[in-house]
Amino acid sequence: MSNNHTHAAHQDRSEHSPLLPTSGSSHGTRGVVAAEGESGRHGFDPRQFFVILWRSSCTASKLVNLLWPFVPVALLLHISSGLESWKFATAYVAVIPSANLLGFAGQEFARKMPKVAGILIETTFGSIIEIILFVVLLGKHRPETPPGNNNNNGGGGGGGGDEGNLIPIIQAAILGSILTNLLLCLGLCFFFGGLRNASQKFHAIVSEVGTGLLLVAAFGLLIPSAFYSALKAEVVGELPGFRRPDWTFTDRKLREDVLRISQATSIALMVAFLLYTWYQASSRHSIFDEVIEQDEHRDTDRHEDMAKPKFTMTEALLAIALSLVLVTVLLVLLVEQIEHVVESGVPDQFLGLILLPLVEKSAEHLTAIDEAWDGVINVALYHCLGPSIQTALFNAPLVVIVGWIIGKPMDLNFEIFMVALLVLSILVVGNFLRDGESNWLEGALLVIVYVIIAIACWYYPNPDVATSNSAQGLRLDMESLGPDGIRELRRLLSQEL
């Protein structure tokens, strides 16, 4: 009886104590380890390591391990010539088990931390793959056209559709990551959770805090796009061979201003993320406490999870290091083939908004869906909303700052089409979360919305096509212009000069 009481007191400290010690507490949470994270072993045991790795966190995650043979195949194909589509496809599939290992190892590591710290750590590990992907894409980007010569909305200073311009793909991947979490992952959580339970109720704070933070994050992300869209009609055109006064508001000047606004906004968003993290880590009444209190004893397979063999701290750290190396190498191989994939007919926006977020979020989605299936709906929802908040407040601004440091202009001037998708998605999800209850029908509807977006992205033109449809994409045809047209052109030029 005393042992049970001690265990309950131990859990209460880990659940309700803040991650960071406050001035009113006599001691922090250092050294507190969640009971379900204890392995009962020390060091590294190869046999146990591979057995635990194979079992993974759930059945779906275990089935993903069947994809491990694609990892050596992707590495071997890389040293061969040609076969660009096969290289992309195998690297794409190989990222999934590698990301799954990182997610599982991060989960095992997080279980050895206090409860509040565990959720923060799990969310952070889920975003590492995304940060690596963004940085690899940015490193591969080649700004061949000077800033200002790109006429597509959301070109980030690179040439509109020029070979090597990956800024539109990065921008699409940023918004795609948010949309994939909000629509696909959340929809699947509602759907599978609703299949097992006719209705699942979650805490109101998930809706209030989650959607509120997303709206704030979206506001910050979309300010540069709104600035550009509001002023692009006011710019004065540039004529070859003529230099305008410095004060003239040209398209080049507008894009430079958008870039500076994006950089300043990114710093502000990162500060907001640090404040948000500090509040959640140091407050006894944060969203984490609410989530944990309601879901701690609702997990249907909690006893099975606690009885499973677990990684030691050494094994967890080794698995994290191994998975990080594999994920980084495979993402580099994946990005190297992106230009060939686009040339083969896959649109930029579909690649960035749909394909890339699906592969880098796969492990995180499996974890969230498994939690919803087990009835831990609050934690599942946070695994959908939390990464979206981190992408908007930290990951996206981080890639802008990295681009600023390495001299590759990356801005937050998204396509208006993407802006509309993000705002509408947040409103739809907020409406579904408002009543604090979910069912399988709501989940199916969210997935259908995501499928509709994927279809629209497939037909959305690449930046080079969009540019060729603009005024700067026109070519002067003297024969079709005729004498009257030539006279009118001369008159307009004389007025302009």
Side-chain angles (χ1 to χ4, degrees), residues 133-147 150 152 154-171 259 332 335-336 338-339 348 399 402-404 406-411 463:
L133 175 62
F134 291 164
V135 172
V136 170
L137 283 168
L138 188 63
K140 181 70 174 176
H141 168 66
R142 297 193 302 273
E144 297 178 355
T145 305
N150 159 21
N152 67 295
D162 291 346
E163 183 180 358
N165 177 31
L166 299 181
I167 296 299
I169 294 179
I170 300 174
Q171 293 174 330
L259 181 60
V332 170
V335 170
E336 285 182 354
I338 278 183
E339 292 178 19
D348 276 353
V399 75
V402 171
W404 189 7
I406 66 177
K408 293 189 176 182
M410 165 71 197
D411 60 31

Side-chain angles (χ1 to χ4, degrees), residues 228-385:
Y228 177 83
S229 298
L231 295 176
K232 65 180 181 180
E234 306 297 326
V235 299
V236 178
E238 298 185 47
L239 296 175
F242 295 90
R243 181 178 180 180
R244 292 190 175 280
D246 294 337
W247 49 264
T248 306
F249 195 63
T250 61
D251 185 71
R252 180 188 297 271
K253 178 66 167 59
L254 174 59
R255 290 187 176 277
E256 289 175 351
D257 291 346
V258 169
L259 181 60
R260 298 292 173 260
I261 292 173
S262 299
Q263 292 165 347
T265 300
S266 296
I267 295 174
L269 289 176
M270 293 179 76
V271 171
F273 178 76
L274 293 176
L275 293 174
Y276 156 73
T277 304
W278 177 270
Y279 174 79
Q280 301 300 348
S282 60
S283 172
R284 292 178 180 270
H285 304 288
S286 69
I287 181 175
F288 297 105
D289 288 324
E290 297 287 352
V291 166
I292 293 167
E293 280 182 35
Q294 195 168 93
D295 280 7
E296 181 67 29
H297 304 292
R298 290 170 56 179
D299 192 345
T300 58
D301 61 355
R302 174 176 171 80
H303 297 292
E304 296 177 12
D305 285 340
M306 293 181 67
K308 285 181 179 179
K310 302 167 185 67
F311 280 154
T312 64
M313 180 64 79
T314 302
E315 291 168 345
L317 293 175
L318 179 63
I320 289 170
L322 175 63
S323 58
L324 281 175
V325 171
L326 286 176
V327 165
T328 303
V329 171
L330 290 169
L331 286 178
V332 170
L333 301 183
L334 185 73
V335 170
E336 285 182 354
Q337 306 304 325
I338 278 183
E339 292 178 19
H340 299 287
V341 172
V342 172
E343 290 172 2
S344 68
V346 179
D348 276 353
Q349 303 301 333
F350 184 83
L351 182 66
L353 200 73
I354 305 298
L355 291 184
L356 294 181
L358 278 178
V359 69
E360 51 104 348
K361 290 290 185 181
S362 57
E364 203 165 33
H365 292 175
L366 289 176
T367 299
I369 294 168
D370 178 63
E371 288 166 344
W373 176 258
D374 292 335
V376 193
I377 189 63
N378 284 312
V379 178
L381 291 186
Y382 187 77
H383 275 129
C384 297
L385 300 177

